[in-house]
Amino acid sequence: MPKKPKKSQQPGGTPATVALTAAGVDFTVHAYDHDPSHPSYGEEAAEAMGVSPDRVFKTLVADVDGALTVAVVPVAGSLDLKALASAVGGKRAAMADPTLAERTTGYVRGGISPLGQRKRLPTVLDDSATAHPTICVSAGRRGLEVELAPKDLATLTGAVLAPIGRG
């Protein structure tokens, strides 16, 4: 008897959903109509999905001592660059050039996913994620989020858990 596909699997998905499917991880895709005039991609996602902003995480790319590093933090807060640098054994961190972040990850700004990136980068997940059974992160394009267990996200990205978010 053929195996039934998971309801969250979508043919021709993004690199993020393809990676999740290949890993056999349980996840749910949430699509919504992206409004280009909204001031915050993450807050827009939380509002559109009706999910608390502390469960929706944004993917930011920073430069830590010359190396691109991914930070995944709640959309309700901001990234503590000093804490990010410390989490990966670095001294100084700054936000990466957006064009370089897009080229390196293979995703566009506002749709950068921590999963399925063109080049796998060191990743740090804010430890507040572990307070939730599931969190939402970009599925690889604006208007598309994926919901999964924080431990699955950390495992698939090789993420370090650290307090890198500021409320």
Side-chain angles (χ1 to χ4, degrees):
M1 184 176 247
K3 188 176 174 187
K4 280 173 77 175
K6 291 181 185 176
K7 92 176 168 173
S8 56
Q9 291 177 348
Q10 295 180 343
T14 67
T17 59
V18 169
L20 287 166
T21 300
V25 169
D26 285 333
F27 66 99
T28 304
V29 173
H30 300 277
Y32 60 92
D33 291 326
H34 166 61
D35 175 2
S37 68
H38 200 289
S40 167
Y41 297 116
E43 289 174 15
E44 176 192 22
E47 290 166 11
M49 295 184 304
V51 174
S52 171
D54 65 337
R55 279 192 49 231
V56 179
F57 283 63
K58 56 189 168 187
T59 306
L60 303 171
V61 181
D63 179 316
V64 179
D65 298 336
L68 291 182
T69 304
V70 172
V72 184
V73 295
V75 301
S78 61
L79 171 62
D80 181 335
L81 289 165
K82 192 176 250 186
L84 174 65
S86 177
V88 294
K91 293 183 180 178
R92 190 183 339 238
M95 294 309 297
D97 173 70
T99 303
L100 180 60
E102 289 179 344
R103 191 175 32 220
T104 305
T105 63
Y107 294 118
V108 298
R109 199 166 137 216
I112 294 178
S113 177
L115 299 154
Q117 296 178 355
R118 182 177 291 150
K119 179 181 179 192
R120 187 169 171 171
L121 299 172
T123 302
V124 181
L125 174 60
D126 185 67
D127 62 0
S128 69
T130 61
H132 309 285
T134 61
I135 60 170
C136 298
V137 297
S138 175
R141 70 173 176 254
R142 296 172 188 153
L144 197 66
E145 294 280 310
V146 65
E147 182 177 352
L148 74 164
K151 71 175 180 48
D152 289 335
L153 178 62
T155 300
L156 291 174
T157 60
V160 171
L161 287 167
I164 60 167
R166 281 191 281 210

